[in-house]
Amino acid sequence: MKFDIRYSNHPDDSKRYDTAELRQKYLIEKLFEADEILLTYSHQDRIIAGGAMPVNKALSLGTFKELATAYFLERREMGVINIGGAGVIELDGKKYDIGFKEGIYIGKGTKEVTFTSVDKKNPAKFYINSCPAHKEYPTVKIVKPVEGKNPPEGVRYCIQRHLGSEDAINKRTINQFIIGGVCESCQLSMGMTELAVGSAWNTLPSHTHERRMEVYMYFELPANEAVFHLMGTPTETRHIVMHNEQAVISPSWSIHTGVGTRNYTFIWGMCGENQTYDDMDNIATEDLR
């Protein structure tokens, strides 16, 4: 396992960052490596984001000196969404099959977490978000709804919201995985937004939410395409050029929106003191600088 640490900073600092500094402080450039677990610990609300990509062997989630715990989820909760081939997550001896674009909430107190791929030629890519937790909540597998069918026993359907329009090039489906109404969590919220063909903006208007930070992870983006992720304060905007399977840390004071050279999908994860999805402070586009 590999563990990187990013420290918090004042919003005024970002005004002086050049491209290299912005990328160093906020961009998580590599999430997946064969037979490795890559994690980044951010002091922004103590979130951990990263990926596990088992190919030739199972990968066990251990702990780190910086967490000062006997095991990873001793004082944490975790959400996982698989963006690769079929995989299995084993939690204290119980196995969960997690397919492409399926997710799971894993509660505090789970001691043993193991990731496995079904087919090493098409390995699973487990994208991970984790944050501190004060209470144990049940583990729940979460999938997208299938029209006319109830979810299998022990599985929950995510909540889907269809927003945007073709004219505004932001037509999208928001799949809310870890959120009230689907499963309980201490502070972690997590979901996946899929842009329709011909759309490019991932959220408009731009907004902040002072009560929680966010991490965006972009995928389903061809190698020759990019997303221009906007951040910074509303009157001092900055951008980071993002490529496939990369993530970006967005502090609570920062706007977060982005536009791609084509449609794409992204996973969002939030933690902080408020889990209400619509708790945001919108910024009118004409007020951006």
Side-chain angles (χ1 to χ4, degrees), residues 145-150 157:
V146 178
E147 188 175 357
K149 292 186 177 181
N150 294 323
Y157 280 157

Side-chain angles (χ1 to χ4, degrees), residues 96 139-141 151-156:
Y96 295 83
T139 292
V140 178
K141 179 180 173 180
E153 185 178 354
V155 178
R156 305 272 180 86

Side-chain angles (χ1 to χ4, degrees), residues 7 24 30 40 60 76 94 106-107 110 157 180 204 214 226 241 250:
Y7 290 94
Q24 181 185 27
K30 188 174 184 179
T40 296
S60 295
R76 286 184 160 268
K94 183 175 181 179
I106 305 171
T110 304
Y157 280 157
L204 278 177
E214 190 162 12
V241 178
S250 182

Side-chain angles (χ1 to χ4, degrees), residues 198-219:
S199 287
W201 284 97
N202 58 47
T203 178
L204 278 177
S206 300
H207 60 269
T208 62
H209 22 73
E210 189 65 33
R211 293 147 294 277
R212 53 199 169 145
M213 62 80 65
E214 190 162 12
V215 175
Y216 276 24
M217 191 280 281
Y218 294 97
F219 70 109

